Amino acid sequence: MLNQNPSKHLPPLIAFIGCDGSGKSTLSMEITNALSKIRPTQRCYLGQGSGNIGRRIRELKYIGPILDRIIEKKATTARKEGNKIPGVLTALVIFLFSCVRYYNFKRMIHARKKGVMVVTDRYPQTTIYGFYDGPGLSAAHTTNWFISKLVQWEYELYDRMASVKPDIIFRLNIDVDTAFARKQDHDYDLLKAKVGVTPKLSFRGAHVVDVDATLPYEEVYQIVWNMIKEII
């Protein structure tokens, strides 16, 4: 069980969120490197890792690309509001990915309790369902009792994670065309959807700092670094 109200003496927890292409991975890595020279600091990726698994599936000889398309199509269907979750297997896959995220989150909590400052790439939330680090099974619907249980259990995991508020969240804002120019292998419509909901992510009243991620990287880094120096 996660401690939903971590005490003030814990090291700072700093999170970077934003649409793909906003620079959160690069920033989180470089900020972690800089902070590590001052005090023990760990970077934690709080995505699901489904992209890496998808790439491994695509590399399977003969059946890989076909299998990847089938899984991706079903998962996409399950994550869209108003759709019906297409079967127990799809629901289980999405639920297991959420369990991986929860496992990584607990490791992050453990690191803080040991006195390590944590910088995260992404952060779980319960405002938006189906994508953007929100509950994957809560957008669609189902009449299957077992899938309904998975939906409930998954939401409880996200509720526990979202109840732990970072000390500061850097919300990296970017327009869809800039994001697509940086991530041309991504789906344009999904990027557009993420850009649209980014301002709506409040993280339960946590301290959120908006940063214009279309600025040159050096400027973005300096803005972020100057604010971090105030809390460490």
Side-chain angles (χ1 to χ4, degrees), residues 134-146:
L137 293 172
S138 294
H141 64 88
T142 183
T143 56
N144 181 287
W145 70 270
F146 179 66

Side-chain angles (χ1 to χ4, degrees), residues 2 98 101-102 105 123-124 157-164:
L2 293 174
S98 293
R101 174 176 274 149
Y102 186 67
F105 195 91
Y123 205 81
L157 294 182
Y158 278 85
D159 185 54
R160 293 174 194 170
M161 292 186 285
S163 67
V164 179

Side-chain angles (χ1 to χ4, degrees), residues 129-187:
Y129 298 160
F131 73 119
Y132 218 140
D133 305 311
L137 293 172
S138 294
H141 64 88
T142 183
T143 56
N144 181 287
W145 70 270
F146 179 66
I147 296 178
S148 296
K149 279 295 182 183
L150 291 178
V151 174
Q152 176 189 335
W153 294 335
E154 185 200 44
Y155 184 85
E156 289 173 357
L157 294 182
Y158 278 85
D159 185 54
R160 293 174 194 170
M161 292 186 285
S163 67
V164 179
K165 299 177 185 178
D167 293 273
I168 187 168
I169 298 176
F170 290 101
R171 183 163 53 194
L172 305 175
N173 299 298
I174 193 171
D175 62 90
V176 64
D177 291 326
T178 302
F180 188 65
R182 295 176 180 177
K183 296 284 185 178
Q184 295 187 16
D185 59 332
H186 285 46
D187 181 82

Side-chain angles (χ1 to χ4, degrees), residues 98-114:
S98 293
C99 289
V100 170
R101 174 176 274 149
Y102 186 67
Y103 171 76
N104 290 332
F105 195 91
K106 289 202 296 182
R107 290 181 62 190
M108 179 269 289
I109 293 295
H110 181 66
R112 287 187 79 202
K113 289 180 178 179
K114 291 174 63 177

